[in-house]
């Protein structure tokens, strides 16, 4: 039997793969097929009937989304089946379907947040009747409480079940479903429970009507009022493609864009709803602490104070935070080295990676797409559900559809898919290859095995020993070959890999993060670093904070230099895969805040060590200068090219401990200064922990 099938669509002969649906075949022929329930990333439901087409000889119209072309019969004379996607027959069928869909739909488009980007509006105009023949009472459905993110107006629901299928198949949290039958049918949550998935906001994009909309964005703007800027998400280290929608000087919405290699078309709730944190707790002017209190100052005053604080380079330490962009890291590092400052670090306390010059040892080498090619995945000290929810959805996808085997060494948590729990600490890696275990057997026999190392496994006293054990295991199971590099580090911070790539690690004789924060330094410069332990800092020392939000670092700081947030500049980030990406500038920086690189360029003049670039483009030229520089291309993940470099032995005298792995993320919604400034994220965090969701008046 041939792998292809011939059809005649609207008079045009076409040949498509037998596994295609009739809808896909029609679209391959250039026809436009309306739909509500069908979505290419979800299973076929076939319950809206909007995609009806005419199959010549069939007794009734065919739902093209649910008809596989390989199951169709040819005509009696052996010729290809004739399909018509237009004409009176099809038009009448679609008119009838649309009339039924609108029977109970409320006429509230003027107050509906979906207005202007609503599939129902668009298709009613294109395929609907001019009026309705239904004059009985409309039904009404009670709205459901789905938590602080998703607003429900369930009377608008047309029962397409996209949200139900997304929750069950992609998110892996079966909390939505349909109850009752006929005109009593309605979508509801399980026992009136709020959605708990970290991906729940995606149901807003999936909903083709206004039944599920964004609660924080409600009544803020119409889509045609917004400026749309393509950008990159920095809430985790995946670098998801996003669109930032702004009005005036405020960001009002963040939505995903399609990037098959990174996030497909999904986005985590933190990335989607953190935008209100961009307005709150902002640092909009420099501050200097005098007599125990911070006072507003000019840039000149602040720089003069910084110059004094940096006068003894051997007693100065610099720490780069989780959200630092490459340009700021490069400018800060260049200034530090020109002043003789060697104590610089961008890694969490205890982490030892990035010092040996082997880039592949801190990258996610198999790439995110590679998860779908893997046969077996071993997670070591990683909890992808909170560290990278969209990657977790991809692992679940491979587990659900490809039969991926998953093993875990670390905390036993709900990852939304089944896995073999092999132990809680690094000692489980010793002798793992020879263990008599079903998953280990699958790992040994896998053609493309993958080992994912979380930051929680590396930022600890035996981190280098864990790295060595994981790489040794990767070599044993055959994860490092010419066309496959099955070893990856999953970072939790968007700025980590980029800062490592520019060399933001301790110089000769310099201290690391733990050493800098131990109280040994007279001056500590925090570049948006709020997640470090400041309890040991000398009370007589000076803390300089460069960042966008008034968080832990700013509250401890003696000098504050306000910087732009990620939506306020075109900046470079490098994701966990080593993929170089650029954010887009959606709004202007707040008040007197400046881009991070510009702050250090101006400071270098004051210090008498002028940096050799005056524009951000000149700075990027410096980054691209060395032959083979990782910054010479955008959007490219090195992937399997790193397998050879991973085979080199790791030199360490550490030994594996029995202390269990702990995820560096204790609260998914409050991991960085922007998230902690967000009212929406605060409500999500309170709900997650079962507390009251009331927020103090401001």
């Amino acid at each position: 039997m041939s792998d292809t099938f011939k059809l005649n669509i609207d008079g045009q002969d076409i040949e498509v793969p037998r596994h295609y649906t009739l809808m896909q075949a029609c679209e391959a022929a250039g026809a436009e097929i309306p739909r509500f329930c069908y979505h290419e990333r979800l299973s076929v439901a076939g319950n809206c009937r909007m995609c009806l087409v005419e199959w010549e000889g069939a007794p009734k119209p065919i739902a093209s989304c649910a008809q596989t072309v390989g199951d169709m019969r040819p005509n009696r004379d052996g010729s290809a089946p004739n399909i018509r996607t237009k004409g009176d027959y099809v038009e009448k069928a679609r008119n009838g379907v649309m009339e039924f869909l609108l029977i109970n739909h409320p006429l509230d488009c003027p107050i509906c947040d979906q207005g202007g980007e609503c599939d129902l509006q668009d298709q009613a105009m294109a395929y609907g009747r001019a009026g309705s023949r239904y004059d009985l009472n409309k039904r009404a459905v009670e709205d459901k409480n789905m938590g602080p993110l998703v607003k429900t107006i369930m009377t608008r629901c047309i029962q397409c079940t996209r949200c139900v299928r997304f929750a069950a198949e992609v998110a892996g949290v079966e909390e939505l479903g349909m109850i009752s039958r006929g005109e009593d049918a309605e979508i509801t949550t399980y026992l009136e429970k709020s959605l708990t998935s970290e991906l729940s906001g995606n149901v807003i994009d999936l909903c083709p009507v206004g039944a599920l909309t964004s609660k924080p964005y409600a009544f803020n703007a119409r889509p045609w009022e917004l400026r749309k800027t393509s950008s990159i998400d920095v809430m985790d280290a995946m670098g998801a493609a996003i669109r930032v929608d702004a009005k005036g000087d405020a960001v009002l919405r963040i939505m995903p864009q399609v990037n098959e290699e990174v996030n497909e078309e999904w986005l985590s709730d933190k990335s989607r709803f953190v935008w209100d944190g961009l307005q709150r707790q902002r640092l909009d002017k420099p501050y200097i602490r005098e007599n125990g209190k911070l006072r507003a100052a000019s840039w000149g005053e602040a720089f003069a104070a910084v110059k004094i604080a940096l006068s003894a380079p051997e007693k100065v330490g610099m720490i780069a935070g989780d959200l630092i962009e490459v340009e700021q890291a490069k400018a800060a590092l260049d200034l530090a080295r020109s002043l003789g400052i060697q104590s610089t670090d961008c890694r969490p306390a205890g982490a030892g990676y990035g010092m040996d010059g082997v880039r592949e040892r801190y990258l996610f080498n198999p790439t995110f797409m590679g998860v779908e090619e893997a046969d077996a995945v071993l997670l070591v000290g990683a909890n992808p559900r909170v560290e990278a929810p969209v990657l977790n959805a991809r692992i679940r996808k491979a587990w659900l559809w490809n039969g991926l085997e998953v093993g875990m060494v670390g905390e036993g948590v709900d990852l939304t898919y089944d896995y073999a729990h092999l132990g809680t600490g690094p000692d489980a890696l010793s002798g793992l290859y020879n263990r008599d275990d079903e998953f280990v057997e699958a790992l040994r026999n896998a053609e493309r095995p993958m080992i994912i190392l979380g930051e929680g496994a590396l930022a600890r006293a035996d981190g280098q020993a864990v790295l060595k054990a994981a790489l040794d295991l990767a070599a044993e199971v055959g994860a490092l070959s010419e066309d496959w590099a099955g070893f990856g580090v999953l970072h939790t911070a968007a700025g980590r890999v980029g800062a490592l790539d520019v060399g933001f690690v301790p110089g000769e004789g310099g201290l690391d993060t733990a050493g800098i924060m131990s109280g040994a330094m007279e001056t500590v410069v925090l570049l948006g670093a709020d997640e470090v332990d400041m309890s040991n800092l000398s009370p007589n020392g000076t803390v300089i904070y460069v960042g966008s939000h008034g968080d832990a670092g700013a509250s401890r700081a003696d000098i504050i230099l306000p910087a732009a947030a990620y939506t306020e500049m075109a900046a470079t980030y490098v994701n966990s895969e080593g993929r170089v990406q650029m954010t887009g500038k959606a709004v202007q920086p707040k008040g007197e805040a400046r881009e991070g690189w510009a702050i250090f360029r101006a400071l270098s003049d004051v210090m008498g060590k002028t940096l050799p670039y005056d524009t951000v483009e000149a700075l990027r030229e410096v980054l691209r200068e060395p032959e083979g520089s990782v910054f010479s291309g955008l959007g490219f993940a090195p992937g399997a090219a790193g397998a050879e470099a991973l085979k080199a032995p790791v030199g360490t005298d550490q030994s594996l401990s029995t202390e269990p792995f702990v995820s560096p993320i204790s609260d998914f919604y409050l991991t960085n200064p922007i998230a902690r400034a967000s009212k929406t994220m605060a409500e999500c965090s309170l709900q997650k922990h079962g507390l009251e969701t009331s927020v103090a008046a401001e």
Side-chain angles (χ1 to χ4, degrees), residues 41-43 169-170 395-404:
R41 299 190 200 277
L42 303 175
S43 60
E169 297 165 16
V170 180
I395 297 174
R396 175 179 165 78
K397 176 183 173 185
W399 169 81
L400 194 61
W401 304 111
N402 302 348
L404 176 70

Side-chain angles (χ1 to χ4, degrees), residues 409-438:
V409 177
E411 296 175 278
V413 292
D414 178 10
L415 293 178
T416 72
Y417 42 84
D418 296 334
Y419 60 85
H421 197 208
L422 305 172
T424 58
D427 54 317
L429 295 174
S430 300
L432 183 67
Y433 182 77
N434 298 313
R435 191 188 294 189
D436 182 17
D437 183 274
E438 191 176 329

Side-chain angles (χ1 to χ4, degrees), residues 108-444:
D108 61 352
C109 295
I111 62 158
C112 178
D113 266 321
Q114 196 85 342
E117 48 191 8
C118 174
D119 291 353
L120 189 63
Q121 279 184 332
D122 296 342
Q123 292 182 43
M125 288 294 292
Y127 305 103
R129 294 169 55 90
S132 173
R133 293 170 290 182
Y134 188 82
D135 55 9
L136 302 178
N137 291 333
K138 289 178 180 281
R139 78 164 191 165
V141 181
E142 187 180 343
D143 295 341
K144 311 296 183 291
N145 179 17
M146 292 191 183
L149 302 178
V150 181
K151 180 183 177 186
T152 63
I153 301 90
M154 299 312 292
T155 303
R156 298 173 185 158
C157 178
I158 60 170
Q159 286 88 43
C160 71
T161 69
R162 278 187 183 182
C163 56
V164 176
R165 285 174 283 147
F166 172 83
E169 297 165 16
V170 180
V173 181
E174 297 190 8
E175 295 172 341
L176 286 173
M178 179 183 280
I179 60 171
S180 302
R181 300 171 66 181
E183 72 167 18
D184 295 323
E186 58 180 280
I187 304 292
T188 184
T189 56
Y190 180 67
L191 297 179
E192 295 293 317
K193 184 180 169 190
S194 298
L195 299 180
T196 60
S197 170
E198 292 78 12
L199 296 166
S200 64
N202 291 291
V203 300
I204 295 167
D205 296 336
L206 288 172
C207 185
V209 296
L212 305 176
T213 55
S214 169
K215 194 173 278 188
Y217 171 72
F219 309 127
N220 270 351
R222 285 299 195 184
W224 55 84
E225 299 177 298
L226 302 172
R227 297 189 311 277
K228 300 169 178 62
T229 308
S230 293
S231 189
I232 296 298
D233 171 53
V234 301
M235 292 298 113
D236 55 36
M238 281 194 70
I242 60 172
R243 192 187 81 199
V244 181
D245 290 357
K247 180 181 178 183
D249 64 349
V251 172
L252 292 186
R253 191 166 62 167
I254 295 174
M255 299 177 72
Q257 288 191 311
V258 176
N259 185 334
E260 295 294 349
E261 296 185 14
V262 181
N263 61 306
E264 299 180 280
E265 63 181 80
W266 314 126
L267 195 59
S268 79
D269 288 349
K270 181 166 51 178
S271 305
R272 181 187 293 269
F273 294 105
V274 79
W275 51 265
D276 67 318
L278 293 164
Q279 310 296 330
R280 300 166 186 271
Q281 302 288 337
R282 289 303 302 268
L283 301 173
D284 57 357
K285 53 173 71 88
Y287 288 87
I288 297 175
R289 191 177 296 277
E290 288 181 354
N291 301 320
K293 289 188 176 182
L294 289 169
R295 70 162 178 86
S298 67
W299 276 103
E301 286 180 286
F303 280 158
V306 172
K307 183 176 182 180
I308 296 169
L310 300 183
S311 57
E314 69 284 353
K315 287 291 186 182
V316 176
M318 270 190 189
I319 297 180
D322 291 354
L323 304 183
I324 191 169
E325 68 278 15
V326 168
E327 290 84 354
Q328 182 181 170
K330 175 65 173 169
L333 186 66
D334 286 353
L335 178 59
R337 295 293 185 258
S338 69
L339 293 171
I341 299 170
Q342 298 297 326
S343 297
T344 54
D345 204 0
C346 66
R347 306 162 301 173
Y353 53 79
M355 294 290 287
D356 54 13
V358 183
R359 185 177 190 240
E360 289 76 12
R361 285 183 185 159
Y362 59 79
L363 291 187
F364 196 92
N365 298 283
T367 72
F368 301 140
M369 275 190 88
V371 169
E372 296 179 38
E373 299 176 36
D375 312 309
V377 169
L378 175 63
L379 301 168
V380 181
N383 179 356
R385 181 168 177 181
V386 295
E387 293 169 23
V390 179
L391 173 63
N392 196 60
R394 203 187 278 264
I395 297 174
R396 175 179 165 78
K397 176 183 173 185
W399 169 81
L400 194 61
W401 304 111
N402 302 348
L404 176 70
E405 297 279 350
V406 184
M408 158 79 91
V409 177
E411 296 175 278
V413 292
D414 178 10
L415 293 178
T416 72
Y417 42 84
D418 296 334
Y419 60 85
H421 197 208
L422 305 172
T424 58
D427 54 317
L429 295 174
S430 300
L432 183 67
Y433 182 77
N434 298 313
R435 191 188 294 189
D436 182 17
D437 183 274
E438 191 176 329
F439 170 76
V440 176
E441 181 71 20
L443 191 66
R444 282 195 295 259

Side-chain angles (χ1 to χ4, degrees), residues 9-10 12 22-36 38 50-54 62 64-65 83-87 90-91 94 98 119 121-128:
I9 298 175
D10 294 333
Q12 175 187 348
L22 186 52
M23 176 186 284
Q24 289 173 305
C26 291
E27 291 186 331
E32 182 180 301
I33 307 294
R35 84 290 301 265
F36 290 115
Y38 175 82
M50 196 63 213
C51 62
L52 295 176
V53 296
E54 179 183 2
I62 300 295
S64 59
C65 72
I83 305 296
R84 296 193 189 96
T85 66
K86 20 185 122 124
V90 174
E91 188 176 323
R94 290 177 183 167
M98 181 59 72
D119 291 353
Q121 279 184 332
D122 296 342
Q123 292 182 43
M125 288 294 292
Y127 305 103

Side-chain angles (χ1 to χ4, degrees), residues 543-571:
V543 176
I544 301 168
Y545 183 79
V546 184
S548 60
H549 283 70
D551 204 70
S555 65
R556 176 64 182 81
D558 300 291
I559 305 166
I560 294 175
L561 305 178
Y566 73 106
T567 54
E568 297 159 5
M569 56 185 168

Side-chain angles (χ1 to χ4, degrees), residues 90-107:
V90 174
E91 188 176 323
K92 184 178 180 183
R94 290 177 183 167
N95 279 351
V97 170
M98 181 59 72
E99 186 177 13
F100 270 116
L101 288 176
L102 293 176
I103 276 177
N104 287 308
H105 198 79
L107 300 177

